[in-house]
Amino acid sequence: MSVTQPPIDSPEIRRLEPVLAPGHTYLSVTDKIAAVVLTRPLGIGWLAGFGLTFSLVMLLFLSLAWLITKGVGIWGINIPIGWGFAIVNFVWWIGIGHAGTLISAILYLLNQKWRTSINRFAEAMTLFAVACAGIFPLIHTGRPWMAYYMFPYPSTMGIWPQFRSPLIWDVFAVSTYGTVSLLFWYVGLLPDLATLRDRAKDRAQQLAYGVLSLGWRNSAHHWHRYQSAYLLLAGLATPLVLSVHTVVSFDFSVAIVPGWHTTIFPPYFVAGAIYSGFAMVLTLAIPLRKAYGLEDFITMRHLENMAKVMLATGLIVAYGYFIEFFMAYYSGNKFDVFLANQRLHGPYSHFYYALILCNILTPQLLWFEKVRRNVAALFIMSLVINTGMWLERFVIVVISLTRDYMPSAWGRYSATFWDYSTFVGTLGLFVMLMFLFVRGLPAIAISEMRELVAHQSHGKGEHQ
Amino acid sequence: MEHRPHSYGVMAEFDTPEEIMAAAKKTREAGYKHVTAYTPFPIEGLAEEIGFKWTAVPLITLLGGIGGGLTGFGMQYWMMAVSYPLNIGGRPLNSWPAFIPVTFELTILGAATFAVLGMIALNKLPEPYHPVFNVDRFSHASTDKFFLCIQAKDPKYNLAETARFLQGLNAKHVDEVKDE
Amino acid sequence: MDPMSDLANNEKLLRILEGAPAADTARGQQHADEHEEEAEDATRQEAKLDLSALRRKLKEKSGKEYWRTLEELADNPHFDALLHREFPRHASEWDDAVDRRGFLKLMGASLALAGLAGCGRPDEAHIAPYVKQPDQVIPGRPNFYATAMPFSGDAIGVIVESHEGRPTKIEGNPDHPSSLGASNAFVQASILNLYDPDRAQTVMYTGEIRSWSAFLDAAQSLATSVKATSGEGFRILTGSVSSPTLNSQIKKLLAAYPAAKWHHWEPATGDGPTEGAKLAFGRVVNTVYVPGKANVILSLDSDFLASGPGQIAYAKQFARRRKLDGPNGTLNRLYVVEPVPSVTGSSADHRLPLRASEIELFSRALGGKLGLGSDAALAGHAAKWLDTVVADLEKERGASLVVAGEYQPAAVHALAHAINLKLGNVGTTLYYTEPVEALPTGNAESLRELCADISHGKVDLLIILGGNPVYDAPHDFDFAAKLLKVPNSIRLSPYYDETSRYSKWHISESHYLEGWSDARGHDGTASIIQPLISPLYYTHSAHDVIAAFSDKPGMPAYDAVRNYWTEASAHLESSLDAGWRKWLNDGVIPGTKFAPITPELKFNAASLPAQAPAKPDQIEYVFRPDPTVHDGRYANNGWLQELPKPLTKLTWDNAALVSPKLAQTKNLAHIVQARGGEHGQILSALVDIELNGSKVTAASWTLPGVAENTVVLPLGYGRTHAGYTGTNKGFNAYVVRTSDALWTASNGKMTPNGETYPLACTQYHFNMEGRQILVTGTLEEYKKNPAFAHESGEAPPKSDSLYKEFAYPGYAWGMAIDLNKCNGCSACVVACQAENNIPVVGKDQVMRGREMHWIRIDRYYTGTDADSSREGKTGDPSEYSPTLDNPETFFQPVPCMQCENAPCEQVCPVDATVHSAEGLNDMVYNRCIGTRYCSNNCPYKVRRFNFLRFQDWETPQLKLLRNPEVTVRSRGVMEKCTYCVQRINNVRIDAEKQNRPIRDNEIVTACESACPSEAIVFGNANDPTSKVAKLKADERNYSILAEINARPRTTYLAAVRNPNPGGEKA
Amino acid sequence: MAQIFDRSANFLARFSLLGVAALAGLGLTAVLVVARSPYITNQRVTRNQPIQFSHKHHVGDDGIDCRYCHTGVENSAYAGIPPTKTCMNCHSVLFNNIGYLEPIRESYRTEQSIRWVKVHRLADYVYFNHSIHVNKGIGCSSCHGPVNEMALIYQASPLNMEWCLECHRNPEQNLRPKDQIYNMNWKAPAEQEEVGRKLATEYQLRSKLELTSCSTCHR
């Protein structure tokens, strides 16, 4: 396992600071991280943040209530633009939901030490993002109370879901992804829950963490099965992560709408997902380490690595954009060509240019080490990229629908108050869950940090 | 723990992974069979040292995966082509390419669920009560100390003997694990 | 047969309604039966109750009782009505009415109701069978009755479908010469007027409810008082009367009161024909055209295919000459000179936009060329154009036809008569008969006399039958003030409208489906109008009102009609008693068609007074009836309000139509709004129009093809008391209309006032971006290359498919639409709406691109150079390009294509849209969860979605309207054209019961049966002998965007125009 | 460190985990079962009618043919509820003065319909047509059950789509000779299999694909 691997020993790696600030012991890491949950009092900042986000969640509920009362007509959608913000937000959230499992699974398999201190809250982020995403496919339907028709249960109508529809694939992909991420996250949590149980002072905490930790007692046998299960999960989650956004991209590429019907979609959606995912991790990690003084654990090295990943995926996305145009013109398909022109010159071109600015031009700054190592810059950039990725989905979903086959049926789209309120509401929900998470559960995997300590303090010495 | 001996075993505490590895080695050489180790993080090889051979988790996972996959495709084929065959946009009843995504997802789902449930079941969890928790210092097992426990059901077990033996492995503390 | 036997009174009728079992009106909602009771009450309740009282009542209640009470109250139609006043009726408008502040209140209500609904089982439904079931009624099977719809001086024979006593659908009557089985938008929509909840329901005196008997007494006392002066000061004002019975009743009345006078006023009927006839023949004659016999037709600003008497018959005959069988087929040729693009102009082979005043010049010039001695100078292009026409007309002597527009002055008509005589067309392509019109004098003159008399205080009893003069009389008459001067004014009208408010007495008029009457078609053929349903409210007919002043007050219209025809049938082959049932059954009275007459020409073109030379740079204002609300009488008809006008595609508004060039000079740009966009909302510049010393502010609209310096002001909008739907929509052009310039005015001023106004336009973009959507060619091109329709794109061969095709061994339903015949009249759109319970969504929703029409008619301009794929270009008419001055216009009806490889089906997650074994693209509403994925993936965008609760499930009257054979869709489900699957199923069931195959033409879809030009053909494509199969075998047959390979079952026959090879293009 | 939980907690924990899983499974099955149960389908529920009309008496004892009252059944979608007149045909002479039948006489006098309570309520959106079924060899009792034994009429079949499809997929099982349509006591013969197949061809039944197309019943 990770402990066995000798650290890759090369000049530039040595130049980088370690993934864990020196001088930490098993006890110190445990204390520092557990304290955030167990002893640290609720700060005014936390309360304010929670209050704000909570009110946004109330706004979400209000919007949903109104939606159920009146119908999706309260949104800006129409014929021909049947999908608007709801689907844009869905794809955006799902995309964000990709970083967590990816970090935990793929980086784990690739044995990247630096994942340890970020994987826990990245996974949490994934769960919350998927939760937000999950809201939209449900509420965007005209009759949400009938949405259970999408599940294959033996109805008295003797009729089943239609498995050729990408929407059904979504149902399975998203629910599977949610479940597996949850399991993955929980398995990772088990030892830490045990730690919290053992360090908890008051009875309530003891009981709570006691129940959650299932009586985990760090036995070598437990560890052994635990590790093989964890490794398997990682192995399973990796293809899953890739599949989920592929399936989401099928929603579009399977349809015949010009601007949707493209084979490049799966790879470039996945890249985009990772792109926005890492951006979101940064958006969360930077304030978090500041607020709870976790700079020792989430070091500059982490931030820089994530910046590099963003740069790489950003380039893939850029390639995707390019290929869309190339395909349109090279194939000479008049509908695709027309749509390509629409993106550049049509009524929504400003969105497209904004998208290029956010997703392609800005990230190029990441070529410079100075930028990569500048926390503030990274934070801003992460926000820019998140915006850009939202715009990308808007361009894909909306612009394509405004100009499809029949000129007589062309239309336009503009969001209403309720479109925005719903979106903002989910943002609130997401952040609120994050707030609860950092106070309720260890935001960093303690046991894995202890491994790091062991690994650092004894170098290779420890195993023969 | 069907039969309940008065004492569960004897537990020795160590400071570092190296020490407990060494101790575990000696214990096995001394011929103890029922030995467990408790460490704040996984230590490679320790389980093997105390005589842990093989885990069924991978096999269970495989079964889960296969089961999920078969269910996935079978379900779709049956529903689309057998139960209520309908002409959907001129596509064939068994549009197998369209059935792949769901099949795949269910494969993963089956495998992952079985992996986790299997792990938990094999570890006999949940088990909130366990004698080892009676040892006061055991809380450190989840923080910074390493414990080795020789169980009373071991044929070679004898409270005084075993305790002394463990002392001999320069353990920091040696406690009896009571089980009443 | 005679439906009255089972419709003796409301009670019985409404019991029948309750009888209509499970499949009846309000499917998908629990309290069907209660609501039907509402309907019953609605017809009886009279008492006025006021909202405050109700509020008080409600205050006393509480808790569950409170809700119960509400439900009880809701049973009371007046409370219902009051509610509706507060929260307007249509879902969409209701939307607007409820602001977000009202939201919590609403939530509260809905939750409480949900609670009620939640507990326990659904309430019991009831069945109330007949007490004595009439023989010809079998619950569940509709009956069909023949009658006729009177329409400004004409009558269109119709056949009405009745479900257990509820008329639900109107079709044309094949035996009636003015219908020939087809109908138009007005006929189709007239059924909605019957159930219009805003109809006036009682007799009123100065705004107070009175009983009919009270009126009868008043009438008699008035009668006696005027009797003293032998009718001095007694005046009757009517619209054009096409009912012989009413005509004779009035004549009799006038005989009784020798000094009384009968005036008439039809705001939207031109005096041209009558005055022209007088000028030409010295007497009034009625001209009947036979376009079917004409090889060359010249229309002098006549929209004979879509307006005026006989329009449907003419459209049908014309279309038959547009039928093209094979490359050796022949077509007639249509030349149109007109200032305003019309349906007729759009189907012309050559169209010449000329200012209204120049039409006379043109006619004179034409007369000159044909040697009638008249003369006039024409501009270069027009002159060349004229030469072509003349050549063609002379070539086709005896088989040509010149039609003058009713809004053109007498001279044009006289010339037209002369020319037709000269060309020897009279007797072949047209003939003359005695006038159908009862009172054939100039409209304006007649009304002017009346006004003069009133202002001289000569009038003390005025009966106004129908019409709406206070709203639509020329403003220089100031009719409102005049009417107030009249001591005793009596008004008969279906609505308590502008005029009723100024009249002492208001009598609510029965719908033509509610009472007995008769009417003559455009060629004189008479029909008995028989009631399909006894009056829903306390309404009466013109016959009743006239009778009230006769010596037989209270004589039923039935007797009046019978009496008249007992005499009139003297010279008919069958006497009344012998023929009555047959007349009712056939819908026509045999032998009543007018015989042709040959009036001799007393007109010398040369002697025409010289016409004032046209001032080309002076703006001309042209008044025309609106294509959908006509002169304003249909303002409160939601179907017609929401029906996109054939050329502008505007709904819910009229607009001042200007030519692109004028728009450019006045810089009246359109701004496409993001909400709705090209298929929804356009901001247009508001203009102040000062004309004839009056002023109106109108939204401007750039319409390609409008003659230069011409502004078209459509009449019929800006009603102030039309009812909920029609009030305050658009602008009122009557305000600037004076008696001396009824149709064309100049010396006006049009100035943009800097503001803009949102217009609901369902299709703004007008070119095809070079896609294979609407394929057109000329006859020559077609003869050269019969397969020209297939050059722009072909479906890949079936062999390319990896999948094996599904087989359709049985029936394969398909549709073929001949673009050569479609003239864009939009009858099919309304027919579909009536047949399929399609809701009206209101202007706001249309502006969001959410209208629900299952079939839309796309309008394209060819030969335009606006190409929106080029940068900056939006294909926007407000971007001037010379090609927009007079573009070629084509229409394309687009229903669901019923694709065999339906893209919509593949993406539906719940099997809500799937293929039937007969190749129908079924839409299963109750399975639909509303993901709208199907609509996104539909390349033809024919799917419609219930974004909100568009259906009105409260108004009891509208429940009676619904077609019980078709599901009423709830909120959140997708819907679309089903090829009228209900008709397919019913016919199939009957055929199966007899173990025989379905015959060709046995199934007729709503759009097909309504179409006046036989452009739509539906049938079994598997049967090579079927009409549709033959059409699909035609080389012109193509499918839209074939390259997508969706394999539509709805295919089109390319439009082939027949321009004069030697002629001026356009 | 002290124990947080008592020894019993182990059993509790494991039991509750399994319990939750079991309950979830049971709950789901329960829903599916209930959805098909008479409670939801309203099977065997008799309604309180203005007159407790007994089909048992009229059909079973008196042997009146269905079509005497339900006149529409052979040529309309609706079998039709008889007009009061039909009742009066007999009851103007039979039992013409017992109070029990007063509602009929009243209805006849006042021309007010009798408000019967609906017993067979098909789901919304379903367009069932009686005539085609009876004309293609489906007998009344196939759907309505032993009406001749029903003192008070009730709904015998579930009337849910599953049930409809069952017959539309293989109608043979229920086809009868034309003369048996209105026979309440008809029982499927042992050799119904091939009898049915023969009748299917004789009646020219449409293919299963056609009979199970959505638009066959939904519009």
Side-chain angles (χ1 to χ4, degrees), chain C residues 14 17 24-26 29 31-43 45 73-81 84 89 166 194-198 201 533 536-537 952-962:
Chain C
L14 282 137
L17 291 182
D24 195 9
T25 53
Q29 61 142 21
H31 306 293
D33 45 341
E34 281 103 312
H35 288 291
E36 279 154 10
E37 279 160 21
E38 287 177 37
E40 187 163 12
D41 300 348
T43 64
Q45 299 269 356
L73 284 169
D75 284 349
N76 175 329
H78 291 270
F79 179 71
D80 210 38
H84 286 321
R89 191 171 301 101
R166 294 178 297 130
L194 169 64
Y195 296 111
D196 185 344
D198 295 339
Q201 306 187 358
I533 184 172
L536 292 173
Y537 315 112
D952 178 338
W953 280 359
E954 281 72 40
T955 315
Q957 292 92 328
L958 295 180
K959 283 198 190 58
L960 304 183
L961 167 62
R962 300 244 164 83

Side-chain angles (χ1 to χ4, degrees), chain C residues 230-246:
Chain C
S230 76
E232 194 58 51
F234 182 14
R235 298 285 186 279
I236 300 172
L237 175 62
T238 68
S240 40
V241 173
S242 62
S243 159
T245 303
L246 183 59

Side-chain angles (χ1 to χ4, degrees), chain A residues 230-421:
Chain A
Y230 198 74
L231 180 62
L232 286 165
L233 275 182
L236 291 167
T238 306
L240 178 63
V241 177
L242 302 184
S243 82
V244 171
H245 226 53
T246 306
V247 167
V248 170
S249 77
F250 285 162
D251 288 347
F252 306 105
S253 47
V254 164
I256 62 173
V257 178
W260 285 10
H261 191 59
T262 330
T263 45
I264 190 69
F265 266 19
Y268 116 65
F269 264 56
V270 172
I274 299 166
Y275 192 34
S276 59
F278 272 90
M280 188 53 89
V281 175
L282 272 181
T283 320
L284 296 175
I286 290 171
L288 183 75
R289 71 200 280 269
K290 188 113 206 67
Y292 294 103
L294 301 175
E295 285 90 347
D296 289 359
F297 307 142
I298 306 174
T299 64
M300 218 45 238
R301 166 107 173 264
H302 294 99
L303 304 186
E304 190 170 359
N305 282 0
M306 290 194 266
K308 286 176 183 167
V309 177
M310 289 199 308
L311 180 55
T313 47
L315 291 173
I316 303 179
V317 169
Y319 172 78
Y321 297 162
F322 164 74
I323 282 294
E324 278 189 299
F325 277 89
F326 175 75
M327 287 302 180
Y329 288 111
Y330 183 72
S331 71
N333 175 317
K334 54 178 177 271
F335 306 109
D336 292 350
V337 174
F338 185 87
L339 192 87
N341 290 331
Q342 276 297 316
R343 287 189 175 169
L344 298 180
H345 311 304
Y348 290 91
S349 49
H350 47 287
F351 283 92
Y352 192 73
Y353 293 118
L355 152 69
I356 300 295
L357 179 71
C358 295
N359 278 4
I360 300 189
L361 301 183
T362 331
Q364 300 310 318
L365 295 171
L366 291 173
W367 288 106
F368 307 100
E369 190 172 9
K370 269 208 170 28
V371 183
R372 285 205 304 272
R373 304 178 67 80
N374 175 332
V375 179
L378 282 180
F379 184 67
I380 294 165
M381 190 157 306
S382 69
L383 293 177
V384 171
I385 290 172
N386 278 320
T387 324
M389 287 311 292
W390 190 90
L391 286 171
E392 175 194 303
R393 277 58 180 260
F394 182 86
V395 166
I396 291 173
V397 173
V398 171
I399 297 192
S400 313
L401 287 173
T402 53
R403 294 278 184 276
D404 71 348
Y405 291 98
M406 294 285 270
S408 60
W410 285 352
R412 290 189 199 176
Y413 172 84
S414 76
T416 64
F417 168 83
W418 297 108
D419 283 302
Y420 287 104
S421 65

Side-chain angles (χ1 to χ4, degrees), chain C residues 73-109:
Chain C
L73 284 169
D75 284 349
N76 175 329
H78 291 270
F79 179 71
D80 210 38
L82 289 163
L83 280 182
H84 286 321
R85 298 278 137 63
E86 268 210 323
F87 309 103
R89 191 171 301 101
H90 299 302
S92 54
E93 321 274 305
W94 186 82
D95 214 16
D96 308 336
V98 180
D99 56 6
R100 295 189 182 110
R101 277 177 281 106
F103 160 60
L104 287 174
K105 198 169 71 213
L106 260 169
M107 277 305 290

